[in-house]
Amino acid sequence: MEPLCGRTALLQLAWLLAVCVCTSSIPWDRSNASGVLLEGKSPQDYGIRSGNPLDLPPPDLIEPPNKMLDPKPHDLNATTLKAKLGRNFDPNFMSISRPVRHPNNNHHNQSELAEFPFKRNKKGRLVPMGEMPRSLRKMNFKYIRLPDGSRLRTRISAKLKKKLQQFLWAFTACPIVYRWKDLGIRFWPRYLKEGHCPPGKNILFNSF
Ligand SMILES: *[C@@H]1O[C@H](CO)[C@@H](O)[C@H](O)[C@H]1NC(C)=O
Ligand SMILES: *[C@@H]1O[C@H](CO)[C@@H](O)[C@H](O)[C@H]1NC(C)=O
Ligand SMILES: *[C@@H]1O[C@H](CO)[C@@H](O)[C@H](O)[C@H]1NC(C)=O
């Protein structure tokens, strides 16, 4: 069943891409989409349509219901398929069997697994973790450019600039909510952990 394997690999790549976009701690920078995975080429070079990053996760594929097209048990040899994926098999985001809830996580259910790149300090203030997004770091607080081309100085102090940056960082940070998705019998590994931003929390600064 070679065609199945080829198709599975392609879909795997598409899903990996989607998962990477969703879970990257650095906001997706449209001007530089050359991750290691794409080896210096843009997704468009591979025939992948450029989409609105706010439309993630991608819609489900429409599969022909014909049971004859389903893989047979011998096509689903986990040893062989896992060897094919090699180090691309990421157990944190992929699962061969239906994932069970973590025993220590009983009172949080699956859909509440969220990651937010901030923590609270003792005074209750939000402290960012990791590196400030490049777009915010590079944002010009010194002046505003008016439509006639002239510049209006803002006189924002270094201290206020830092506060504004931290506020915008927290305000626009994407709390990634994870959910396991059952892709059905035609995908291997069948279960993928999907991350998404709740609506309204995923404002991008890339156009600044
Ligand atoms: C894109 O990112 C890669 C590494 O992430 C870097 O090596 C490359 O110089 C960047 N390209 C541009 C055009 O910024
Ligand atoms: C899976 O494939 C391996 C290697 O081809 C083989 O040794 C093994 O018996 C297979 N397992 C099953 C359950 O068919
Ligand atoms: C899990 O959490 C969601 C959202 O908080 C809620 O709608 C759902 O009912 C919960 N499910 C269970 C089994 O507790």
Side-chain angles (χ1 to χ4, degrees):
M1 274 262 177
E2 244 354 85
L4 170 90
C5 297
R7 199 174 60 160
T8 308
L10 193 65
L11 292 168
Q12 190 66 57
L13 177 69
W15 275 104
L16 269 176
L17 274 172
V19 169
C20 290
V21 172
C22 283
T23 58
S24 164
S25 58
I26 307 155
W28 181 246
D29 189 344
R30 270 179 282 185
S31 64
N32 187 357
S34 56
V36 179
L37 198 61
L38 298 173
E39 288 164 351
K41 291 191 178 181
S42 75
Q44 287 75 34
D45 292 336
Y46 287 89
I48 297 170
R49 193 166 48 89
S50 75
N52 183 346
L54 305 185
D55 287 344
L56 289 167
D60 292 331
L61 286 176
I62 299 164
E63 291 274 328
N66 189 350
K67 287 253 183 269
M68 290 288 285
L69 299 172
D70 284 347
K72 304 286 173 285
H74 68 266
D75 294 320
L76 296 170
N77 183 327
T79 317
T80 315
L81 292 172
K82 207 167 174 179
K84 266 190 203 278
L85 271 182
R87 60 188 180 87
N88 291 318
F89 182 84
D90 181 348
N92 291 319
F93 285 93
M94 304 169 187
S95 181
I96 300 166
S97 52
R98 181 180 289 277
V100 286
R101 214 178 295 162
H102 202 273
N104 298 334
N105 213 4
N106 265 338
H107 33 280
H108 299 285
N109 76 30
Q110 287 272 342
S111 60
E112 286 172 302
L113 286 175
E115 228 172 57
F116 192 57
F118 288 81
K119 63 178 196 303
R120 274 181 190 278
N121 69 7
K122 280 186 192 138
K123 289 179 183 163
R125 273 188 52 190
L126 282 181
V127 181
M129 297 186 296
E131 230 181 286
M132 183 185 295
R134 199 182 109 93
S135 46
L136 263 182
R137 210 170 57 233
K138 297 269 170 184
M139 206 168 154
N140 195 335
F141 288 85
K142 287 202 187 97
Y143 58 81
I144 289 164
R145 201 186 284 276
L146 298 178
D148 67 2
S150 63
R151 294 170 171 189
L152 183 70
R153 282 180 61 84
T154 57
R155 296 193 171 82
I156 286 174
S157 68
K159 202 172 159 187
L160 182 55
K161 175 184 166 181
K162 198 175 165 200
K163 276 195 174 171
L164 285 171
Q165 279 175 321
Q166 294 222 341
F167 170 77
L168 290 172
W169 189 357
F171 190 76
T172 58
C174 163
I176 302 167
V177 178
Y178 291 108
R179 210 171 283 152
W180 281 101
K181 182 170 180 143
D182 181 356
L183 302 175
I185 197 163
R186 292 182 184 174
F187 290 81
W188 200 96
R190 178 168 172 168
Y191 302 92
L192 271 186
K193 196 157 77 177
E194 211 176 61
H196 72 99
C197 299
K201 283 300 291 182
N202 41 15
I203 303 154
L204 299 180
F205 269 100
N206 288 338
S207 50
F208 278 75

